[in-house]
Amino acid sequence: MRLFDLNEAQERAVRSIAGPLLILAGAGTGKTRVITSRVAFLIAQGFDPGCILALTFTNKAAGEMRERLARMVDKEDAKRVTMSTFHALCVRLLRQHIDKLGYKNNFSIYDDSEQTGLLKKIIVRTAAKDEKLDAQIAKAFISKAKNSGRAFAENEETLVAAVFNRYQRQLKSLNAVDFDDLLLLAVQLLKEHPEARAHWQKKYRQIMVDEFQDTNRLQLDLVSLLADGERNVCVVGDDDQSIYGWRGAEASNILDFERHFPNPAIVKLEQNYRSTNVILGAANKLIRNNPRRHPKNLWSAGGEGEKVRAVQMPDDREEAKFVVEEIQRRQTVEGVPWEEFAVLYRMNAQSRLLEENLRRLRIPYRLVGGKSFYDRREIKDFLAYAACLLNPDDDISLLRIIQATPRGIGESTLDRALEFSVRAKSSLFRALNEPAFLDALPSRTAGRIKDFMALLDAYETRAAAPLTVFSTVMTDLMLESGFLDDLKRSCATPEEALNRETNVKQMIESLSRYEQRGNGGLQGFLDEVSLDRSREEKEEPGAGVTLITLHAAKGLEFRHVALVGLEEGILPHDRSKLEGSLDEERRLFYVGITRAMRTLLLTYCRGRVKFGGAAPCHPSSFLKEIAGDFVEMVSYEKLMSAPVPQESVKSRFAQLRAAVAKM
């Protein structure tokens, strides 16, 4: 078993195989290599591969570990090691022993859509006439309750409690479980049935857990129950990268590891193999401001590198334009692939202007951690409203906007309207206005349809008037139709509601800018959007500059990184001060900084378009925390007045000469 290519701390972690072990693995310090080397070392020391368990959060991470291990030990031995996600392990436990909990062993696992469908039926049967509960919100609430171990008494008189209990009873009668039940029931099984617990403790004599800072209470309980008296539990993680508190992860699991597994060996991995010392210096300086953490100091043998640049921008439009043009400039100078560049942001809505500028310069890009802007539900709904103002006979768009906001017009009514329109050879819009159709409906339903048709008709008239400002018309329609209010109600979290509302308002802002540029009207704007969408569809998936949220960027690395929107209210997010989660926002920024390998560009705006108007912005308090030797603070105006670097001119000239030579 070769260990000579490990550094001293890594080797110490690999050789520590008795009792609890906490490996504090800073960003880019080679934790996957340590985990797989440790498994290989255990096998070399005579441990049965079948008694080794390595747990992680994604199939991708488990697969990567499995591939690495197969290159280090005999392939048959590698196959016998259990490397899986928490949920896959729970399925294995439950398939063998779930009958002890009153289920059959051939239970079904409900996916997202099956859960939603079941909840919709239960809500209809449970809710009173004046009660409303969105199935997606109910699903998110139930998931959170299960992961925090909360139960509802059968006699609790809230709608949520009634839906939760009925949902659980219905699942069990169907011999089904949902994704969250896998953890919940596995922990229940091991707690309540000593013979099952003894079986799995005997099987797994060595347990390793990756990304331990992302575990919740149930996952900690599962690991504790699986560990036998020898407590051969090794966890690998970084409390400085604990950024999923909003979905139940508990940083206290890694911070208080000694309380759960007394007298552990502790190894710190601090040598970073990814970034320059300047980038690491900024990261170290930032994260020291978090009061409760395991102290670590990342360093690299790879040299100092360029200073981090923090650029103050006039507004968000100039910010997006500058960042994209800076990417183009550096790519021209260095000739590196577009895939070496990434732009990171706090909220999905921030990708909009970046996408516009990348398309303008024909730079390929891929959007990670969110749908493409035009594929988002609220944007499709907005465009459907706009299409109906121009052409109410557009059946697909009309159907979409009727279903986008609850109007008391049910699916059966729409089915009848569609049948009527087919028989009458007319559009759905005309069918819904037809007295012969309306007279056959209950008066209440007919009244709702008439109200909605009158609303559309009034806005269609406004849209057809001379000198109409379409951005104003669409703003008014979004408010009067109830679309924005319902959009917020249908979101599982306040952050999702804010993101979706911001997306719609950015769309209105784009329409306003289009109107200022020319006189193509609403139809011209929709045509431009259609062209943008078709260009998106033709792009090679996975190729180009990466646009990614800070949360989704964890675990990734890029040669050149731009991190945008470093303003109070965005990063740190407004809610973090109210909820007491400022430390997690700082960790999120730390994760963003440590994605960069060679250069890091930070931007913040003096003003930003919010709700259709310009609003002043203030630099993020985090910028003050990293200011100093590692960071160059510079204004946009100073950069724009600086001469073009000579190497850029030479490189561009060389490219032009090469292009001419090929002609």
Side-chain angles (χ1 to χ4, degrees):
M1 170 67 204
R2 48 180 270 183
L3 298 177
F4 61 83
D5 54 351
L6 299 176
N7 67 40
E8 186 183 338
Q10 288 174 332
E11 185 176 344
R12 196 160 67 252
V14 166
R15 289 185 179 276
S16 301
I17 59 174
L21 171 65
L22 170 61
I23 302 174
L24 294 166
T29 56
K31 69 179 178 64
T32 305
R33 185 187 197 185
V34 168
I35 294 170
T36 49
S37 295
R38 193 170 183 276
V39 173
F41 185 73
L42 284 167
I43 294 170
Q45 294 300 299
F47 279 86
D48 177 0
C51 80
I52 300 170
L53 169 66
L55 289 169
T56 188
F57 279 85
T58 65
N59 288 319
K60 182 183 174 186
E64 185 184 338
M65 279 194 251
R66 215 174 282 120
E67 284 173 20
R68 285 199 189 195
L69 184 64
R71 294 194 293 268
M72 300 170 79
V73 301
D74 179 81
K75 286 186 179 175
E76 290 306 310
D77 284 344
K79 282 180 187 174
R80 294 184 57 222
V81 175
T82 302
M83 287 184 160
S84 81
T85 63
F86 278 93
H87 289 89
L89 175 70
C90 291
V91 171
R92 183 180 291 200
L93 269 64
L94 293 171
R95 285 288 176 214
Q96 195 159 333
H97 294 294
I98 200 171
D99 56 302
K100 297 179 186 299
L101 300 176
Y103 293 79
K104 296 175 189 173
N105 292 84
N106 64 343
F107 62 88
S108 301
I109 303 170
Y110 268 28
D111 65 17
D112 209 55
S113 61
E114 288 167 326
Q115 272 183 273
T116 305
L118 179 58
L119 279 167
K120 281 180 178 176
K121 289 176 187 172
I122 289 169
I123 290 166
V124 167
R125 292 175 194 150
T126 310
K129 284 186 179 179
D130 59 342
E131 288 183 310
K132 278 180 111 180
L133 179 62
D134 181 82
Q136 292 293 341
I137 293 175
K139 183 153 66 69
F141 189 88
I142 288 169
S143 176
K144 193 170 182 179
K146 287 183 179 183
N147 279 290
S148 63
R150 182 179 176 189
F152 292 88
E154 286 289 342
N155 59 356
E156 195 170 326
E157 293 185 356
T158 65
L159 176 58
V160 169
V163 168
F164 180 96
N165 288 319
R166 194 164 183 172
Y167 171 71
Q168 284 304 99
R169 288 195 303 271
Q170 188 78 37
L171 274 179
K172 194 164 186 178
S173 70
L174 293 164
N175 195 38
V177 299
D178 63 25
F179 202 62
D180 297 306
D181 284 330
L182 295 173
L183 265 171
L184 195 67
L185 294 175
V187 168
Q188 183 186 342
L189 171 74
L190 296 176
K191 273 184 179 175
E192 296 176 2
H193 298 276
E195 69 281 16
R197 184 169 67 248
H199 171 87
W200 293 102
Q201 285 181 345
K202 186 178 178 183
K203 177 169 177 59
Y204 295 124
R205 311 298 296 174
Q206 285 280 350
I207 300 171
M208 275 173 279
V209 185
D210 188 19
E211 304 284 12
F212 192 67
Q213 77 281 346
D214 294 336
T215 53
N216 61 24
R217 180 71 215 191
L218 279 175
Q219 287 157 336
L220 174 64
D221 287 347
L222 181 72
V223 173
S224 297
L225 287 162
L226 285 171
D228 64 4
E230 293 173 25
R231 314 295 272 175
N232 288 330
V233 174
C234 164
V235 304
V236 186
D238 182 7
D239 49 296
D240 291 335
Q241 295 187 74
S242 180
I243 59 172
Y244 296 120
W246 51 277
R247 70 180 189 200
E250 297 187 31
S252 59
N253 288 356
I254 193 167
L255 289 169
D256 299 329
F257 181 74
E258 297 94 325
R259 189 159 61 84
H260 305 295
F261 299 92
N263 304 314
I266 299 176
V267 178
K268 292 182 185 181
L269 305 183
E270 296 174 298
Q271 183 175 354
N272 177 284
Y273 294 93
R274 175 187 299 157
S275 309
T276 64
N277 277 308
V278 162
I279 291 168
L280 297 176
N284 289 330
K285 193 171 183 187
L286 171 80
I287 205 63
R288 283 190 198 113
N289 290 278
N290 270 3
R292 190 160 182 252
R293 58 184 289 265
H294 289 291
K296 291 175 288 297
N297 192 63
L298 297 184
W299 62 277
S300 168
E304 292 305 297
E306 291 183 28
K307 275 197 172 187
V308 174
R309 279 191 304 158
V311 184
Q312 184 189 64
M313 308 300 302
D315 56 44
D316 48 344
R317 283 190 235 170
E318 290 295 343
E319 176 186 54
K321 183 172 179 285
F322 171 77
V323 167
V324 171
E325 288 178 356
E326 181 69 7
I327 288 171
Q328 186 187 51
R329 182 195 69 76
R330 194 173 279 276
Q331 196 277 338
T332 299
V333 170
E334 295 187 13
V336 294
W338 294 114
E339 289 74 28
E340 301 273 10
F341 297 87
V343 187
L344 279 53
Y345 37 80
R346 177 67 177 82
M347 299 183 293
N348 274 315
Q350 291 170 264
S351 72
R352 164 70 174 155
L353 294 172
L354 293 161
E355 289 186 73
E356 272 187 14
N357 280 278
L358 287 161
R359 284 195 294 269
R360 175 176 62 84
L361 295 178
R362 299 179 182 274
I363 296 173
Y365 70 92
R366 63 193 186 112
L367 199 66
V368 182
K371 292 180 180 178
S372 174
F373 189 80
Y374 296 117
D375 283 338
R376 292 166 188 162
R377 189 194 87 199
E378 64 276 13
I379 298 305
K380 287 183 173 180
D381 291 343
F382 174 90
L383 294 172
Y385 270 103
C388 279
L389 293 190
L390 292 173
N391 177 20
D393 293 332
D394 179 342
D395 284 359
I396 293 173
S397 294
L398 182 59
L399 266 175
R400 185 172 187 97
I401 66 173
I402 291 173
Q403 293 169 328
T405 308
R407 308 180 187 284
I409 306 171
E411 286 184 23
S412 60
T413 303
L414 287 174
D415 288 343
R416 289 170 68 181
L418 286 166
E419 287 174 17
F420 186 94
S421 70
V422 169
R423 287 198 306 272
K425 296 182 179 177
S426 71
S427 68
L428 179 62
F429 180 81
R430 293 180 192 280
L432 290 171
N433 277 299
E434 186 62 51
F437 172 70
L438 293 169
D439 291 345
L441 297 175
S443 59
R444 195 172 177 184
T445 304
R448 285 168 176 162
I449 291 174
K450 286 175 184 175
D451 288 346
F452 180 56
M453 291 295 104
L455 176 76
L456 267 188
D457 189 55
Y459 275 90
E460 187 191 349
T461 302
R462 273 185 68 181
L467 305 176
T468 295
V469 180
F470 291 104
S471 52
T472 303
V473 172
M474 287 303 298
T475 301
D476 294 345
L477 178 56
M478 294 294 96
L479 291 168
E480 193 175 343
S481 66
F483 173 71
L484 283 177
D485 287 338
D486 189 68
L487 187 67
K488 286 184 264 189
R489 276 196 299 271
S490 67
C491 294
T493 64
E495 183 168 10
E496 183 191 356
L498 179 63
N499 281 346
R500 289 187 182 279
E501 185 180 10
T502 303
N503 288 339
V504 172
K505 287 174 177 174
Q506 283 199 352
M507 203 67 195
I508 291 169
E509 175 64 22
S510 289
L511 173 55
S512 176
R513 289 203 303 273
Y514 176 83
E515 290 183 283
Q516 290 164 20
R517 287 203 317 266
N519 57 1
L522 191 57
Q523 185 64 67
F525 174 72
L526 291 177
D527 290 345
E528 186 174 272
V529 168
S530 295
L531 289 171
D532 280 346
R533 289 174 79 174
S534 66
R535 276 200 289 269
E536 269 185 354
E537 287 160 11
K538 287 174 188 172
E539 282 173 4
E540 182 186 340
V545 175
T546 299
L547 302 183
I548 190 167
T549 62
L550 286 162
H551 282 101
K554 186 168 167 288
L556 303 178
E557 61 184 29
F558 305 92
R559 186 178 182 84
H560 302 294
V561 169
L563 207 165
V564 301
L566 269 165
E567 296 133 41
E568 287 293 298
I570 296 180
L571 186 69
H573 199 280
D574 269 331
R575 283 201 327 279
S576 63
K577 293 171 187 173
L578 298 172
E579 297 172 355
S581 56
L582 191 64
D583 289 358
E584 184 159 318
E585 290 290 296
R586 189 177 284 109
R587 292 194 291 265
L588 192 57
F589 185 26
Y590 174 83
V591 165
I593 291 173
T594 53
R595 299 312 94 198
M597 299 167 72
R598 290 292 167 267
T599 69
L600 176 63
L601 168 66
L602 309 173
T603 61
Y604 58 103
C605 299
R606 289 195 295 268
R608 188 173 287 274
V609 174
K610 291 180 182 175
F611 315 123
C617 299
H618 302 286
S620 169
S621 52
F622 295 155
L623 283 169
K624 293 176 188 170
E625 296 177 3
I626 63 169
D629 295 342
F630 307 112
V631 181
E632 177 191 6
M633 299 282 190
V634 62
S635 73
Y636 170 75
E637 288 76 15
K638 182 180 176 183
L639 279 177
M640 289 299 97
S641 62
V644 178
Q646 192 63 30
E647 70 269 18
S648 294
V649 177
K650 287 179 180 176
S651 177
R652 184 65 183 147
F653 186 60
Q655 285 189 340
L656 288 170
R657 284 183 65 182
V660 170
K662 289 179 184 176
M663 292 175 68

